[in-house]
Amino acid sequence: MKRILIINPNSSEEMTRDIQDFATLYAENEAEVVTAKIEDAPKFIETYQDEAQAAPGMTRLIQKNQKHYDGFLVACHSDPNLDLMKEISHKPVVGIGESSMHSACLLGDRFTVISATTGSIPNKEALARKYNLGKQLTSVRPLDSVTGAVDKLDLCERVSRDAIDEDGAEVIVLGCADLVGTSFELQGRIGLPVVDGIASGLSTLLGFINQALFISKVRRYGGHV
Amino acid sequence: MKRILIINPNSSEEMTRDIQDFATLYAENEAEVVTAKIEDAPKFIETYQDEAQAAPGMTRLIQKNQKHYDGFLVACHSDPNLDLMKEISHKPVVGIGESSMHSACLLGDRFTVISATTGSIPNKEALARKYNLGKQLTSVRPLDSVTGAVDKLDLCERVSRDAIDEDGAEVIVLGCADLVGTSFELQGRIGLPVVDGIASGLSTLLGFINQALFISKVRRYGGHV
């Protein structure tokens, strides 16, 4: 059985548990999955300072666990320190941001990312541009822009409908690991494909492991080889 | 057990058998896989005329098998008629070109596509641009440009080494379904990740099926809904 370490780059115990529960169910017969949080990181990653604060803990986690796992998943949708992780890891590393956005491009022409906060919009846009997927990203819609609804699913439904009506969204990407487990019901409500980062990332990572693929160690992620 | 129909858009019996053999091994415990060829298509798809000739047969294949399969894989690396297939199918459809090129972007910064013929270079370049992956595609290297070597693996090794030395390739994408099954050994020889279209496409499609994802039916692939 394959072994996957999911790195939750923040220190939230609740989010770590939610990711673990969903990932265990999702990967069930294919992989043993362990989710670890970063103790000295903030409870939520939004800024580049948050990201920098998570870097040492994430680095230690990869270095300590190189031999014990077949692959690593970075489970925060802003893909914090993903390039660094790819540089230091000898096993495949996937970010849920990159995986979910690339996948969305195969399911429709334009996608909208639902983000947790208004503050994370520019970073999401910059991330899509970094991956050269800026043209397919039609909008980022933050949940904290909606007033009234309190239920997570209702919130997602409201911003998704706005994305469809106003931005021409064809695919919805759940842009926060905190939304894990809501994609199936949201799909049923809005009729568009909804990409969950954790499911997408796990699926991509398992595929890479099955194909014996690894992060290229020439040029960009070569480090001091 | 999931059921996947692999559509080989050409009429080559040999290539169909090679794809079937590899796909059966690769998907083994996860899916039942059937490969079908297109009788009235050319033996090899290179030009837009070849593509057009394959369209009616591919359309019939999807229409006849909508209910019998959980997903469809278009197994030619130029992704012939993929938009059309996405428009008419109610089940997820993946092309091995789009899947392998998007995957390559997660494994390194720049990829080279190995194509079968010099004639297919411009179409490959156009395909990468269509997917907005033109910047990551550093070169297309055709096998028929190499003289001397006769073994398929030796040919691939030669063009891969040129791609590394001259084009800065970090990842190699096998740009023809005919190269199926050579990725593992080629990886061992050159030390770079080598993405096989069939393995990548199957893996992506299985992931979509597991995530209950489908092709968006609003806007681009809406057709006459």
Side-chain angles (χ1 to χ4, degrees):
Chain A
M1 188 98 130
K2 281 154 264 169
R3 300 197 75 219
I4 287 177
L5 181 63
I6 302 182
I7 302 174
N8 174 16
N10 68 42
S11 58
S12 161
E13 201 156 312
E14 193 194 339
M15 212 189 279
T16 309
R17 202 178 43 235
D18 288 349
I19 294 170
Q20 176 66 37
D21 290 348
F22 179 83
T24 307
L25 264 177
Y26 185 80
E28 240 183 343
N29 307 312
E30 255 205 289
E32 190 187 324
V33 169
V34 175
T35 311
K37 64 183 193 296
I38 304 299
E39 296 295 350
D40 38 12
K43 284 234 178 293
F44 183 77
I45 308 281
E46 184 181 271
T47 67
Y48 295 113
Q49 291 176 67
D50 298 338
E51 194 169 326
Q53 210 178 315
M58 292 176 72
T59 302
R60 279 195 300 274
L61 208 56
I62 293 251
Q63 284 168 337
K64 253 178 49 189
N65 288 289
Q66 296 269 22
K67 288 183 193 152
H68 310 304
Y69 290 90
D70 299 299
F72 301 100
L73 182 68
V74 176
C76 167
H77 201 268
S78 54
D79 288 348
N81 304 303
L82 184 59
D83 290 323
L84 171 58
M85 300 301 109
K86 287 186 178 179
E87 186 179 275
I88 62 174
S89 174
H90 302 304
K91 301 289 171 67
V93 184
V94 168
I96 67 170
E98 58 171 8
S99 168
S100 58
M101 289 197 279
H102 276 282
S103 288
C105 295
L106 272 60
L107 300 165
D109 197 42
R110 292 185 190 186
F111 63 89
T112 285
V113 173
I114 298 183
S115 72
T117 64
T118 305
S120 53
I121 295 178
N123 293 11
K124 296 271 179 225
E125 291 173 342
L127 200 64
R129 286 197 302 271
K130 175 181 167 184
Y131 299 143
N132 289 310
L133 305 178
K135 281 184 192 168
Q136 289 101 317
L137 174 73
T138 188
S139 60
V140 183
R141 290 261 177 187
L143 292 178
D144 65 2
S145 66
V146 180
T147 49
V150 279
D151 175 61
K152 213 185 270 181
L153 255 164
D154 289 342
L155 281 170
C156 287
E157 186 182 345
R158 291 261 299 267
V159 298
S160 297
R161 292 201 185 282
D162 288 346
I164 299 166
D165 295 342
E166 293 169 28
D167 313 328
E170 299 172 25
V171 180
I172 300 293
V173 171
L174 297 180
C176 182
D178 190 32
L179 296 173
V180 67
T182 58
S183 67
F184 302 108
E185 199 169 335
L186 186 59
Q187 274 191 172
R189 290 193 189 187
I190 62 170
L192 293 200
V194 177
V195 184
D196 174 283
I198 305 292
S200 168
L202 270 177
S203 175
T204 300
L205 181 56
L206 282 165
F208 285 169
I209 296 170
N210 286 336
Q211 294 167 71
L213 287 169
F214 49 90
I215 304 297
S216 185
K217 290 295 174 183
V218 296
R219 299 186 76 255
R220 186 169 184 188
Y221 301 117
H224 300 290
V225 217
Chain B
M1 190 99 130
K2 280 153 265 171
R3 301 197 74 218
I4 287 177
L5 182 63
I6 302 182
I7 302 173
N8 174 16
N10 68 41
S11 57
S12 161
E13 200 157 313
E14 193 193 339
M15 212 190 278
T16 309
R17 201 177 46 235
D18 288 349
I19 294 170
Q20 176 66 36
D21 290 348
F22 178 82
T24 306
L25 264 177
Y26 184 79
E28 240 183 341
N29 307 312
E30 256 205 287
E32 191 188 322
V33 169
V34 175
T35 311
K37 64 182 193 298
I38 305 298
E39 296 297 349
D40 38 11
K43 284 234 178 293
F44 183 76
I45 307 281
E46 184 181 272
T47 66
Y48 296 112
Q49 291 175 68
D50 298 338
E51 195 169 323
Q53 209 178 317
M58 293 176 73
T59 303
R60 278 194 300 273
L61 209 54
I62 293 250
Q63 284 169 336
K64 253 179 48 189
N65 288 288
Q66 296 268 23
K67 290 182 192 155
H68 311 304
Y69 290 91
D70 299 299
F72 302 100
L73 183 69
V74 176
C76 166
H77 201 269
S78 55
D79 288 348
N81 306 302
L82 184 59
D83 289 323
L84 169 59
M85 300 300 110
K86 287 186 178 180
E87 186 179 274
I88 62 174
S89 173
H90 302 305
K91 300 291 171 65
V93 184
V94 168
I96 68 170
E98 58 170 9
S99 168
S100 58
M101 289 196 279
H102 276 281
S103 288
C105 295
L106 273 58
L107 300 166
D109 198 42
R110 292 184 191 187
F111 64 89
T112 284
V113 173
I114 298 183
S115 72
T117 64
T118 305
S120 52
I121 295 178
N123 293 10
K124 296 269 180 228
E125 291 173 342
L127 200 63
R129 286 197 303 271
K130 175 182 167 183
Y131 300 144
N132 289 309
L133 306 177
K135 282 183 190 166
Q136 289 101 317
L137 173 75
T138 188
S139 60
V140 182
R141 290 262 178 188
L143 292 178
D144 65 2
S145 67
V146 180
T147 48
V150 279
D151 176 61
K152 213 185 271 183
L153 255 164
D154 289 342
L155 280 171
C156 287
E157 185 181 347
R158 292 261 297 271
V159 297
S160 298
R161 292 200 185 283
D162 288 346
I164 299 166
D165 296 342
E166 293 168 29
D167 313 326
E170 300 171 24
V171 180
I172 300 293
V173 170
L174 298 180
C176 183
D178 189 35
L179 296 172
V180 67
T182 58
S183 68
F184 303 108
E185 199 170 334
L186 186 60
Q187 274 190 173
R189 290 192 188 185
I190 62 171
L192 294 199
V194 177
V195 184
D196 175 283
I198 305 291
S200 169
L202 271 178
S203 176
T204 299
L205 181 57
L206 282 165
F208 285 170
I209 296 170
N210 286 335
Q211 294 167 70
L213 287 169
F214 49 92
I215 304 298
S216 186
K217 289 296 172 179
V218 296
R219 298 185 78 254
R220 188 171 185 187
Y221 301 117
H224 300 289
V225 216

